[in-house]
Amino acid sequence: MKQLQKEIRQFTEERGWTGNHDARNLAISISLEASELLEHFQWDAPEEAVALRKNEIAEEAADVFIYLLQFAEAIGIDLEEAARSKMKKNAARFPVNSN
């Protein structure tokens, strides 16, 4: 993931886009791209939406992921560590039923 973040940073720097990539703008961009992802499911059943527009859905998911990686880097979050920590919290909060 660090390598991908480096590639994204380089891509952004080469285009002079770093001035707008603060935490606030990146958080807004995540939300906007997530909305664009959701738009593909607006009027169709999930299976139909994926069958019809899988490539476009993948591109929107990638946009969300890219902005999320940039956001994490901007504020100093290790996403892998944060995800594992959150999963531990979720496991304690929502234990498996052992009926």
Side-chain angles (χ1 to χ4, degrees):
M1 192 148 19
K2 295 290 184 192
Q3 178 60 34
L4 181 55
Q5 283 178 304
K6 181 180 176 183
E7 292 171 26
I8 294 167
R9 186 180 334 105
Q10 181 179 353
F11 180 90
T12 302
E13 289 171 354
E14 288 173 349
R15 286 154 181 80
W17 294 348
T18 56
N20 295 328
H21 282 71
D22 58 47
R24 177 185 169 275
N25 286 328
L26 291 166
I28 290 169
S29 295
I30 292 166
S31 180
L32 293 172
E33 292 298 340
S35 294
E36 290 180 18
L37 173 63
L38 187 57
E39 190 174 24
H40 289 285
F41 295 93
Q42 187 172 12
W43 304 117
D44 298 317
E47 302 81 16
E48 184 179 0
V50 171
L52 292 172
R53 296 180 292 281
K54 188 172 185 175
N55 289 337
E56 293 90 344
I57 290 168
E59 286 182 1
E60 297 300 347
D63 285 340
V64 172
F65 185 59
I66 289 166
Y67 278 125
L68 184 58
L69 288 175
Q70 289 177 307
F71 176 81
E73 185 175 43
I75 66 170
I77 296 173
D78 181 325
L79 279 177
E80 288 185 72
E81 182 180 306
R84 285 190 177 92
S85 175
K86 183 62 176 179
M87 290 301 296
K88 285 180 187 176
K89 283 177 115 174
N90 287 346
R93 188 171 172 203
F94 306 107
V96 175
N97 293 334
S98 56
N99 295 337

